[in-house]
Amino acid sequence: MADQIVAARGRSKIPKVTATRRPWAISAQLQAAPLALVFIVFFVIPLGIIVLVSFLDYNDYAILPTLTTRSYTETFEGCIDQLPDVCTILKTYATTAQFCFAVWLLTLIIGFTISYFLAFHIRSTTTQIVLGLLCTIPFWTSNVIRMISWIPLLGRNGLINQILMGAHIISTPIEWLLFSDFSVMLAFVHLFTFFMVVPILNSMLRIDRSLLEAAFDAGASGWQTLWHIVVPLTKPGIVIGSIFVVTIVMGDFITFGVMGGQQIASAGKIIETRLNALQFPPAAANAVILLAVTLVVISLLTRLVDIRKEL
């Protein structure tokens, strides 16, 4: 009897399972299509054109339709011969990196402090929202106007020098307040600290308050709680804010020019100078080099934490 049952099962047809396309998968692709199209048209294609132009030859008045690496070789021309000294282009990138690090450190300290105050010392959600919106008020005006507003304060005959001289604290005006490294970093911190505040605050608001209470119950001090609980859980926000600040400072040339009095070199200024001279292939080559350096920095930052969990 058992053999007959097995034989009957063997003769029965086993239905074939066919892979069916899930309707919501098609819907998701259609929803992502407009954004993907915008990304391709306004980012991928222009970036491809810049890379292509960087490999074209040129003369004093025209771009030549000939592929060459001249723009890249001329950018670093003489760097090997000057070793162990650093050539001008590398000095410029080193100066830009120093500004990036200084601005990143200052914005991180200020942004973390503001975010910590809003997240853990302001109990009312309404008050948190109001204070957060107050931080956005400077963005209602142009960055250039916000930079220029520092000149009447920091200039040789500016308000700060007049107050200090009127109080007999100094006898001569302070020269380094304006058109110096100090004024450039001050403008950067003023302009871009908010880019550090928002992601850090977002991460801090997600922290479970019971973790802090458990740490205090276990006898942890305020600094121990901050270092072992708040900072690790805030790493995604720190990395996102760092990416914003570093990428903006790396490519900036307006702030360097306005607040530095056109006296401080930067990677962005190199590109601007090439464009003003109508040397588009060298400008494109420097843009590609700057993009590569920025991508390396971003990849190093993203290795610290998986920011996809934050997004």
Side-chain angles (χ1 to χ4, degrees):
M1 188 66 175
D3 296 338
Q4 294 176 356
I5 294 174
V6 172
R9 290 181 177 177
R11 290 192 300 267
S12 62
K13 294 183 179 180
I14 301 176
K16 296 182 180 180
V17 178
T18 58
T20 58
R21 195 174 186 86
R22 298 173 181 176
W24 57 82
I26 300 176
S27 176
Q29 294 177 359
L30 292 176
Q31 292 176 3
L35 183 59
L37 181 62
V38 171
F39 180 77
I40 293 173
V41 172
F42 293 100
F43 180 78
V44 176
I45 294 178
L47 181 60
I49 294 174
I50 291 175
V51 174
L52 176 62
V53 172
S54 69
F55 286 100
L56 295 179
D57 199 2
Y58 68 99
N59 54 28
D60 294 337
Y61 53 87
I63 298 177
L64 305 178
T66 305
L67 295 179
T68 179
T69 58
R70 173 188 172 188
S71 299
Y72 292 94
T73 56
E74 287 183 350
T75 299
F76 296 99
E77 185 178 5
C79 289
I80 299 178
D81 299 335
Q82 296 182 23
L83 293 176
D85 296 331
V86 181
C87 63
T88 303
I89 186 70
L90 293 182
K91 287 181 180 179
T92 303
Y93 276 93
T95 301
T96 306
Q98 291 175 359
F99 274 102
C100 281
F101 177 78
V103 173
W104 168 79
L105 183 61
L106 291 173
T107 54
L108 176 60
I109 295 174
I110 299 174
F112 190 92
T113 304
I114 295 175
S115 300
Y116 187 87
F117 174 77
L118 293 176
F120 298 108
H121 290 275
I122 303 298
R123 300 299 181 182
S124 173
T125 304
T126 304
T127 307
Q128 289 178 343
I129 295 175
V130 171
L131 293 177
L133 291 176
L134 287 177
C135 295
T136 66
I137 291 178
F139 287 86
W140 297 358
T141 60
S142 170
N143 282 358
V144 177
I145 295 177
R146 293 162 63 193
M147 283 187 291
I148 295 176
S149 64
W150 284 103
I151 296 178
L153 297 176
L154 304 177
R156 178 180 176 86
N157 298 319
L159 182 61
I160 294 178
N161 276 320
Q162 290 181 2
I163 292 175
L164 294 177
M165 293 180 67
H168 302 288
I169 298 177
I170 58 175
S171 57
T172 58
I174 301 176
E175 301 288 346
W176 51 265
L177 289 178
L178 187 62
F179 302 144
S180 62
D181 294 352
F182 169 79
S183 60
V184 172
M185 284 192 291
L186 179 63
F188 274 135
V189 172
H190 173 217
L191 294 174
F192 305 132
T193 298
F194 185 73
F195 290 97
M196 193 71 78
V197 172
V198 173
I200 294 179
L201 178 60
N202 184 41
S203 296
M204 285 185 177
L205 292 176
R206 297 183 180 185
I207 297 177
D208 189 355
R209 297 303 186 269
S210 61
L211 296 176
L212 306 181
E213 296 176 359
F216 284 120
D217 293 340
S221 63
W223 285 106
Q224 289 175 332
T225 304
L226 176 67
W227 185 252
H228 294 287
I229 295 180
V230 177
V231 172
L233 295 177
T234 314
K235 279 185 179 179
I238 294 175
V239 171
I240 293 175
S242 301
I243 292 175
F244 284 150
V245 172
V246 169
T247 52
I248 293 174
V249 175
M250 283 289 289
D252 187 275
F253 63 91
I254 298 178
T255 308
F256 280 103
V258 174
M259 301 304 295
Q262 306 295 338
Q263 300 174 10
I264 301 176
S266 68
K269 289 290 290 181
I270 296 176
I271 301 174
E272 182 199 18
T273 302
R274 295 288 194 178
L275 289 175
N276 291 336
L278 301 181
Q279 297 177 346
F280 297 110
N286 281 277
V288 173
I289 294 171
L290 180 60
L291 176 62
V293 173
T294 305
L295 290 177
V296 170
V297 175
I298 293 176
S299 63
L300 293 176
L301 290 173
T302 52
R303 287 180 180 272
L304 299 176
V305 65
D306 187 6
I307 62 175
R308 289 177 296 181
K309 296 180 180 180
E310 183 73 7
L311 298 175

